[in-house]
């Protein structure tokens, strides 16, 4: 009687290698002590936290915002924008080149961190800002004649903020895709509210729209500044009060005239 040949040790090893190994077997066979070792775990957690925090700080404070439409809704009434006034449009609005972090972030001295010199290069790269709480005399638009003192108001605003660094505390985006904001600028080492200073000069009135007016916490101060300019007969208050027409009344009248043509 012949017995079947015995399998060699090498054949048994080959069978064991060919036998499928389940995922659970591999998981159980992994030495996890290396990953849970504090010398590995703590540096990994610190590195991950640092990366996540750096991304969050960059997105919230160091990411340059090119236009008003790129401002996230959560920024309004919580954040301010710092930058240089690149262009003044009308007497109560301007274009801001956002420079997050200011000079500490390299703006003005690091390569690639300068404002484009040509106006064409600024297209699509500035935030249109509307001064909150004030209304300046209207210039000539769409065939309408300019309002008295509109040229003086525009020249005043250019001299006061053009090419200067300002900080804008933003409230909302209006129907013209402008950011409505209280704007501050440093003049002779003092921080000045641009809207309030314009009211004091008699070259703007307190914004009197029935809805959508924004003042921040400064409405009372603005009304006092306007009243003082009236008493002192500054700017647009110099003439006969009977001949005075507010920017709001002017816009209503000219709009009605345009509709009837």
């Amino acid at each position: 009687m012949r017995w079947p040949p015995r399998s060699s040790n090498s054949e048994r090893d080959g069978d064991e290698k060919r036998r499928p190994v389940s995922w659970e077997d591999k998981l159980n066979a992994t030495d996890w002590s290396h990953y849970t070792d504090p010398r590995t775990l703590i540096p990994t957690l610190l590195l991950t936290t640092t990366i996540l925090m750096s991304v969050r700080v960059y997105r919230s404070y160091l990411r340059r915002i090119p236009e008003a439409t790129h401002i996230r809704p959560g920024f309004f009434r919580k954040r301010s924008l710092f930058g240089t006034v690149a262009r003044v449009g009308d007497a109560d609005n301007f274009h801001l080149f956002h420079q997050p972090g200011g000079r500490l972030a390299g703006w003005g001295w690091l390569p690639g961190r300068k404002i484009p010199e040509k106006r064409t290069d600024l297209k699509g790269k500035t935030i249109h800002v509307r001064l909150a709480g004030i209304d300046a005399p209207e210039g000539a638009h769409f065939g309408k004649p300019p309002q008295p003192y509109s040229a003086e108001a525009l020249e005043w605003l250019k001299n006061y903020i053009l090419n200067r660094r300002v900080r804008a505390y933003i409230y909302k985006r209006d129907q013209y895709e402008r950011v409505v904001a209280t704007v501050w600028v440093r003049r002779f080492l003092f921080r000045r509210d641009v809207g309030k200073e314009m009211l004091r000069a008699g070259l703007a009135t307190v914004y009197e729209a029935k809805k959508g007016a924004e003042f921040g916490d400064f409405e009372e101060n603005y009304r006092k500044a306007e009243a003082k300019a009236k008493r002192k007969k500054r700017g647009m208050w110099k003439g006969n009060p009977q001949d005075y027409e507010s920017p709001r009344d002017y816009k209503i009248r000219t709009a009605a005239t345009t509709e009837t043509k």
Side-chain angles (χ1 to χ4, degrees), residues 43-63:
T44 301
L45 290 175
L46 287 175
L47 178 61
T48 303
T49 302
T50 301
I51 293 173
L52 292 175
M53 290 298 295
S54 298
V55 171
R56 183 171 182 179
V57 168
Y58 171 78
R59 292 186 64 187
S60 298
Y61 300 101
L62 297 176
R63 180 175 63 92

Side-chain angles (χ1 to χ4, degrees), residues 32-140:
W32 293 99
S33 61
H34 171 72
Y35 299 99
T36 57
D37 187 335
R39 290 174 295 181
T40 302
L41 184 61
I42 293 176
T44 301
L45 290 175
L46 287 175
L47 178 61
T48 303
T49 302
T50 301
I51 293 173
L52 292 175
M53 290 298 295
S54 298
V55 171
R56 183 171 182 179
V57 168
Y58 171 78
R59 292 186 64 187
S60 298
Y61 300 101
L62 297 176
R63 180 175 63 92
R64 206 186 87 78
I65 301 172
E67 293 183 289
T69 53
H70 290 76
I71 299 175
R72 291 183 289 177
F75 278 23
F76 293 111
R77 300 188 180 278
K78 296 180 181 178
R79 293 286 310 281
S80 65
L81 301 176
F82 181 82
T84 297
V85 177
R87 181 165 64 91
V88 175
D90 288 336
D92 50 23
N93 64 83
F94 61 90
H95 289 261
L96 175 76
F97 187 88
H98 186 216
Q99 296 169 302
R103 293 189 64 83
L104 291 177
W107 288 105
W109 57 276
L110 275 181
R113 292 232 149 189
K114 295 182 180 180
I115 301 176
E117 295 181 359
K118 296 181 179 179
R119 182 170 176 176
T120 54
D121 295 336
L122 285 169
K123 187 175 181 180
K125 297 179 181 178
T126 58
I127 301 170
H128 199 176
V129 179
R130 171 68 158 83
L131 293 172
I134 70 166
D135 210 359
E138 291 290 307

Side-chain angles (χ1 to χ4, degrees), residues 138-150:
E138 291 290 307
H141 291 298
F142 310 111
K144 300 176 183 178
Q147 194 175 4
Y149 289 96
S150 60

Side-chain angles (χ1 to χ4, degrees), residues 6 9 46-47 49 99 128 193 211 241-242 245 254 258:
R6 296 181 179 180
N9 291 335
L46 287 175
L47 178 61
T49 302
Q99 296 169 302
H128 199 176
D193 179 344
K211 62 179 181 178
Q242 295 180 349
E245 184 179 35
T254 54
T258 303

